[in-house]
Amino acid sequence: MASRKSSRGAGGSPSPGSKRETKHGGSKNGKKEGLSGSSFFTWFMVIALLGVWTSVAVVWFELVDYEEVLAKAKDFRYNLSEVLQGKLGIYDADGDGDFDVEDAKVLLGLKERSVPAQPASPESEETIQPDEKSYVESEHKNADVELEEEFQSVLHEALPSQPDADLLADDLEVIEPEPYEALVSDEYVMTVEETVSDPEAPGDSELMLEDAIEHYTEDRVPEDDNADYEPKHEKQTETEDAAGEDLEEVNEATEPDEIIEDTDKELSVESKHTEDVVATEPEQSGKSEKATEQDKTEKAKKKKKPKLLNKFDKTIKAELDAAEKLRKKGKIEEALSAFEALVNQYPQSPRARYGKAQSEDDLAEKMRSNEMLQKAITTYDEVVSLPNVPSDLIKLSLKREADRQQFLGRMRGSLLTLQKLVQLFPSDTSFKNDLGVGYLLIGDNSNAKKVYEEVLSLAPNDGFAKVHYGFILKAENKIAESIPYLKEGLESGDPGTNDGRFYFHLGDALQRMGDTEAYKWYELGYQRGHFASVWQRSLYNVKGLKAQPWWTARETGYTELVKSLEKNWKLIRDEGLAVMDKKRSLFLPEDENLREKGDWSQFTLWQQGRKNENACKSVPKTCTLLERFPEATGCRRGQIKYSIMHPGTHVWPHTGPTNCRLRMHLGLVIPKEGCRIRCAQENRTWEEGKVLIFDDSFEHEVWQDAENYRLIFIVDVWHPELTAQQRRTLPAI
C-alpha cells in the first residue's frame, strides 16, 4: 500500500498542491496568475451567505409580490400563445386547435390528415319543468377557456336548454309566458324546442353557413297515435333520449378578418353531417350508397364560411372582438354594456347591434326573463333594417328572431319572420322548409303542404321536405301515398329527418297496409334511441321507469283505487247508462283516426288533470267517488272517461304518448264473447266489475266482434315510480 502511494506521488500525476495551483491561477512553471485557492473560497462563502440571507429577507418581509409575478408570467404565456396561434392556427391540420409537430408532419406529407372525433351527445332523462313555459338558464362557457382557442374557433352554441332532470322546478322562478298571439289547433300543439348542432363534417375545416342553419325539428304528442304535429320542444324537456341540452361548442378555424361568431345559437336547425344519416335498409344497393356519398361530398365542397362583417365593421373589428370575448366568457352584463356602447357610438354597425341582441338573448336565459327576451327579438329585427347588412347576418338574425318568437308562443309573429326570410332568399329551400313547419305549428296543413310541394319541385331529393310531406299526407288519411315520402325521407339521412315521429308514422302506415316491414322500421327507430323498445313506442318518456305491458293492482300500489272501482262498479255503470239513454250526445266519436272500422265513442270526465264540471253534473256520484284519488284526477297525462264500442269495430295497433301513466279498464257492460284486447304479445278479455291494468305506451289493439255493445270505464293514473315532484311539474299531455 505504501509503495503504491509513493509511486503515484512521484510519478506523472500532479500532487494535490500542484492541482490547486493550476486550477486557481498557478501554472506548471510555478508562477501565480490570479487569486489563491483560499481567498477564492472565502469570497465564495461570503457571496453565498449574502444570497441566503437576502432570500430569507425577501420572503420574511414580503418584499416581492409573487402572485403578481406569476400572473404576469401567465399573461405573457397567453399573449405569446395568442400571437403564435393567430399566425399559425390556419395551419392546424389535425383539428386539435393548435399548430404543433403533428401538424407539421401532415403539411410535409409524412402523416395523413386526421378528422377530429365528434363528441357524443349525452343522454338525459325527461326533465321536470312547470306547466307554464319557464325560461331556463343554459350553462355558459367556462371563463377559464384558453384565449388561443377562442382566436382560432367559431363557437357553435345550441339554443337555450330546458333544466336538467335533477333540477327541481320548485327551485326555479316560474315565468309566465306572454299570451299567444294565436291559438294553436288541437291537431298541432306547440311546445318549445332546442336542437344541438353537430360537430363539423369530416374533412371540412371551415364553418359552413348551411351547417349553421338547422331545420326546426319537431315533435308531436300522439295521444293514442293521433297525427298531432309540434316542434321538438317537449322532447327536449322530457324525452329520455334527447341529447344533453347544455350549450355545446364546436371550435373551427376563422379567417383573420372574421370575428369570432356564434352561429349555431342563432340558427336553430340540425347540421348536415354524416352522424345523422339514418341506416338504410339492407336491400339498398351499394351503388345508391356510393351515389349518396358523392352527393354529400359535392354539397360539402359548395359550403362556405358565413361573412358577418361589412366593410365598416371590419374597421372596428378589435372593439367588436373585445365585446364578443366578454360574452363568450359568460360575462353577459359586461358584454351587453360593451355592445350597447358600440351601438351608441356606431349606430350603423350591424355586427354591434347583432352582438347586443345576442347579449340580451343570453341575459334573458340567465334571468329567465321573457321581457328581456322580447328586447332581444326587437334588436334582432333592428339588425335587418340597417344599411349594408351582410346577407349571412340577415339570415342569422331572422332565424334566431323566428325561433325566439316561437319560444314565447308567438306563432303568427314567427310565421311572418319566416315569410320575410323566404322573400329575401327565395332560392334557399331550407327557409321554405322552416316556413312549412311554421304553418304546421298554427294548424295550417294546407299551406304547409303547398310549401313542401314547392320545395320538392325545386329539390326532389330534399329529405326534410319528404318526411314532412309524408306526415301531412298521413294526417289526411292518405296512408298508401304517405309511405314512399316517409321512407325516402328517412333513408336520405338529411337534417331534421332522424326523428322518432317519422319512424312512428311510417311503421304505423305500413301496419295499416298489412305490411310486416313496419317492425323493421320500429326496430330501426329503437336502435336509434327513439323508442324504449320495439313494442313500447311512446315518445314522451321519463327514463328508468318500470316497463311491462300488464300490471296487477298490487304492483301499482293503487289497491284502494282498484277496490273502490270494483266495489262501486254498478253505480258507475248505472250513471253511464243513464247518460247513454238521455244525453247520448255527450258521447263523442273517437276522432284520432285509430279505427279501421266500426263505431267507438267516449264520454270524458277528466282531461289532463282538469275536471269537466258540466260532464260531472251528469254522473255526480261517480265524480265524487273519484275525487278521493289524486293519482287519477291529478294525472295530467291522462283521462278519466266512459268508452262504448259497438259490434264490428276494430282499433288499429297503436301506442299512447307517454310511459308516465298506466291505464285501468273497469268492465261495465261486457258481452260474453267477441271482445278482446291485445297489449304487446298477450291477449286478454274484460269482466264486468273487474279492473284490467296495462301500460298503453306499449302497442295495443282492440277487437269488438260481439253481438252487443261493450261499455267500460277508463281511469288513467300516474306511473307509480314517478316522484311527487315529477307529478306536479311534468307538462300535461
Side-chain angles (χ1 to χ4, degrees):
M1 292 297 291
S3 62
R4 186 174 298 176
K5 289 182 180 179
S6 175
S7 65
R8 184 178 298 176
S13 299
S15 66
S18 64
K19 279 185 181 181
R20 285 194 298 271
E21 186 177 24
T22 302
K23 186 174 181 182
H24 298 299
S27 63
K28 290 183 179 180
N29 60 13
K31 294 182 179 180
K32 279 191 176 183
E33 295 179 357
L35 295 171
S36 67
S38 60
S39 61
F40 177 84
F41 179 77
T42 301
W43 281 108
F44 174 79
M45 291 302 295
V46 169
I47 293 171
L49 289 171
L50 285 173
V52 170
W53 285 109
T54 302
S55 300
V56 171
V58 167
V59 174
W60 184 263
F61 296 108
E62 297 181 349
L63 300 179
V64 177
D65 186 348
Y66 285 101
E67 292 183 1
E68 182 179 354
V69 172
L70 292 173
K72 288 183 177 179
K74 188 174 182 181
D75 282 344
F76 176 77
R77 180 176 70 82
Y78 279 163
N79 293 334
L80 180 60
S81 176
E82 184 175 325
V83 172
L84 291 176
Q85 293 302 325
K87 300 292 185 183
L88 301 179
I90 58 175
Y91 299 110
D92 176 19
D94 58 6
D96 63 355
D98 60 5
F99 178 78
D100 51 24
V101 175
E102 297 303 317
D103 298 312
K105 289 180 180 179
V106 173
L107 295 174
L108 291 172
L110 301 177
K111 180 181 177 181
E112 291 186 2
R113 182 182 295 268
S114 62
V115 179
Q118 296 183 354
S121 297
E123 291 190 349
S124 62
E125 295 186 354
E126 170 162 0
T127 58
I128 303 166
Q129 71 171 31
D131 194 20
E132 302 86 355
K133 293 178 185 175
S134 60
Y135 206 111
V136 186
E137 175 182 5
S138 299
E139 293 183 11
H140 291 283
K141 186 179 178 183
N142 193 299
D144 293 331
V145 170
E146 299 288 342
L147 291 180
E148 57 265 32
E149 242 181 19
E150 293 186 18
F151 269 97
Q152 64 184 19
S153 68
V154 174
L155 179 62
H156 286 227
E157 294 176 346
L159 300 181
S161 67
Q162 298 294 333
D164 292 330
D166 58 348
L167 181 60
L168 301 182
D170 282 355
D171 296 333
L172 301 176
E173 177 185 356
V174 177
I175 304 296
E176 289 283 350
E178 299 184 26
Y180 283 19
E181 293 184 358
L183 292 175
V184 182
S185 71
D186 290 338
E187 187 176 5
Y188 297 99
V189 181
M190 172 60 185
T191 50
V192 185
E193 175 208 9
E194 170 186 349
T195 55
V196 179
S197 74
D198 296 325
E200 61 176 326
D204 195 357
S205 62
E206 295 283 305
L207 172 66
M208 308 309 174
L209 180 62
E210 290 85 348
D211 287 343
I213 302 175
E214 304 175 3
H215 292 299
Y216 290 104
T217 53
E218 326 68 24
D219 219 5
R220 66 184 262 280
V221 177
E223 175 53 48
D224 288 337
D225 185 36
N226 69 339
D228 291 352
Y229 182 95
E230 44 187 79
K232 212 170 185 177
H233 258 90
E234 180 149 354
K235 195 162 189 176
Q236 166 207 328
T237 63
E238 34 180 294
T239 187
E240 80 285 6
D241 56 5
E245 303 300 342
D246 295 333
L247 295 182
E248 182 170 303
E249 302 170 358
V250 179
N251 294 325
E252 313 237 8
T254 57
E255 294 180 358
D257 64 341
E258 290 282 346
I259 192 166
I260 304 164
E261 288 303 333
D262 260 339
T263 52
D264 252 2
K265 174 165 186 180
E266 290 75 31
L267 301 181
S268 60
V269 209
E270 288 185 32
S271 316
K272 299 183 178 180
H273 299 311
T274 55
E275 176 179 272
D276 277 338
V277 177
V278 179
T280 55
E281 295 184 278
E283 298 86 71
Q284 191 174 11
S285 67
K287 183 177 179 181
S288 63
E289 289 178 2
K290 187 175 181 180
T292 302
E293 291 299 324
Q294 289 176 348
D295 290 342
K296 290 184 178 180
T297 302
E298 290 177 3
K299 288 180 182 178
K301 289 180 181 178
K302 295 178 182 178
K303 295 176 182 178
K304 62 180 181 179
K305 187 186 302 182
K307 305 295 182 182
L308 306 182
L309 301 178
N310 62 14
K311 291 183 178 179
F312 174 78
D313 281 338
K314 288 180 181 180
T315 66
I316 60 169
K317 180 178 177 297
E319 296 172 77
L320 292 168
D321 279 339
E324 184 69 10
K325 281 183 186 178
L326 292 171
R327 194 179 71 83
K328 293 291 183 61
K329 286 187 172 185
K331 299 178 180 179
I332 304 172
E333 292 84 354
E334 295 178 40
L336 180 56
S337 298
F339 277 117
E340 285 177 338
L342 288 172
V343 168
N344 291 333
Q345 188 174 358
Y346 311 111
Q348 75 277 31
S349 167
R351 182 59 187 86
R353 200 169 296 264
Y354 179 68
K356 177 175 179 282
Q358 285 182 299
S359 300
E360 291 169 338
D361 203 340
D362 292 343
L363 192 57
E365 292 180 33
K366 183 176 180 179
M367 297 171 59
R368 300 189 293 277
S369 167
N370 286 345
E371 182 180 355
M372 180 58 68
L373 182 57
Q374 181 53 52
K375 290 183 179 180
I377 291 172
T378 301
T379 309
Y380 281 126
D381 196 60
E382 290 173 356
V383 173
V384 182
S385 65
L386 295 174
N388 303 317
V389 184
S391 60
D392 289 348
L393 192 58
I394 292 176
K395 294 177 182 179
L396 289 167
S397 298
L398 290 178
K399 282 286 290 184
R400 184 62 175 173
E401 179 183 352
D403 177 78
R404 299 294 80 196
Q405 288 170 318
Q406 286 187 5
F407 185 90
L408 289 179
R410 298 183 172 180
M411 304 306 158
R412 296 285 179 183
S414 175
L415 190 63
L416 292 174
T417 303
L418 292 170
Q419 287 172 340
K420 186 188 298 185
L421 262 175
V422 170
Q423 291 170 0
L424 291 172
F425 306 100
S427 62
D428 194 325
T429 56
S430 71
F431 295 145
K432 286 185 170 66
N433 280 333
D434 293 336
L435 180 61
V437 171
Y439 281 120
L440 287 174
L441 293 179
I442 64 171
D444 190 347
N445 286 26
S446 177
N447 274 319
K449 187 176 181 181
K450 291 176 183 177
V451 169
Y452 290 123
E453 286 173 345
E454 182 181 353
V455 172
L456 291 172
S457 68
L458 297 172
N461 296 320
D462 190 306
F464 185 89
K466 282 186 174 182
V467 289
H468 285 80
Y469 190 66
F471 180 91
I472 294 169
L473 290 175
K474 185 169 181 293
E476 295 175 345
N477 209 28
K478 297 178 180 178
I479 306 299
E481 293 178 44
S482 71
I483 291 174
Y485 287 101
L486 288 166
K487 184 183 294 186
E488 291 170 15
L490 284 173
E491 289 173 345
S492 74
D494 284 351
T497 61
N498 184 25
D499 187 302
R501 283 165 310 156
F502 302 130
Y503 289 91
F504 185 104
H505 282 293
L506 174 56
D508 183 66
L510 290 167
Q511 274 185 310
R512 296 189 183 198
M513 297 302 296
D515 192 334
T516 56
E517 186 186 359
Y519 287 95
K520 293 181 181 178
W521 287 97
Y522 289 148
E523 176 67 29
L524 187 56
Y526 162 65
Q527 291 175 3
R528 295 191 65 83
H530 300 305
F531 307 137
S533 72
V534 172
W535 295 106
Q536 189 180 23
R537 301 190 298 272
S538 53
L539 297 176
Y540 298 87
N541 302 318
V542 166
K543 195 171 184 178
L545 297 181
K546 181 178 181 180
Q548 61 187 41
W550 295 98
W551 291 66
T552 66
R554 183 179 297 274
E555 287 175 323
T556 67
Y558 301 135
T559 53
E560 290 302 316
L561 171 59
V562 172
K563 288 178 182 178
S564 181
L565 291 173
E566 293 183 343
K567 179 180 178 181
N568 296 281
W569 75 275
K570 290 184 179 180
L571 180 153
I572 298 170
R573 179 197 63 186
D574 292 345
E575 286 197 328
L577 291 175
V579 173
M580 288 177 58
D581 292 339
K582 300 177 182 178
K583 301 179 181 179
R584 193 174 185 86
S585 60
L586 294 178
F587 277 83
L588 302 177
E590 179 274 325
D591 60 355
E592 297 168 354
N593 192 27
L594 297 178
R595 286 170 293 160
E596 178 190 11
K597 58 181 180 178
D599 186 353
W600 177 21
S601 299
Q602 299 170 346
F603 172 43
T604 303
L605 307 180
W606 269 268
Q607 177 84 16
Q608 295 182 338
R610 293 191 297 269
K611 182 179 180 181
N612 185 332
E613 297 290 350
N614 289 330
C616 279
K617 289 178 182 178
S618 301
V619 286
K621 294 179 181 178
T622 298
C623 289
T624 300
L625 177 72
L626 289 165
E627 294 280 9
R628 296 169 39 220
F629 302 101
E631 62 267 31
T633 58
C635 181
R636 291 180 298 105
R637 294 197 162 191
Q639 305 100 36
I640 300 176
K641 58 190 177 183
Y642 289 89
S643 173
I644 183 170
M645 188 175 290
H646 293 276
T649 301
H650 173 232
V651 178
W652 293 110
H654 62 285
T655 62
T658 178
N659 73 340
C660 295
R661 74 185 186 201
L662 299 179
R663 176 155 285 187
M664 297 183 177
H665 280 190
L666 172 65
L668 300 178
V669 178
I670 308 298
K672 291 183 179 180
E673 294 180 354
C675 294
R676 71 185 190 277
I677 179 173
R678 173 182 65 83
C679 186
Q681 296 173 288
E682 182 180 350
N683 290 341
R684 294 197 182 182
T685 58
W686 297 271
E687 294 181 46
E688 292 183 356
K690 298 297 181 182
V691 171
L692 283 179
I693 308 174
F694 66 101
D695 184 339
D696 76 327
S697 64
F698 284 82
E699 179 182 292
H700 53 288
E701 184 177 10
V702 178
W703 295 265
Q704 216 288 42
D705 297 320
E707 296 180 354
N708 199 0
Y709 67 84
R710 181 223 66 181
L711 179 66
I712 62 173
F713 190 59
I714 298 175
V715 179
D716 290 336
V717 292
W718 285 116
H719 191 290
E721 293 182 355
L722 288 174
T723 67
Q725 177 67 24
Q726 289 172 316
R727 299 181 191 198
R728 287 195 302 270
T729 57
L730 283 170
I733 293 180

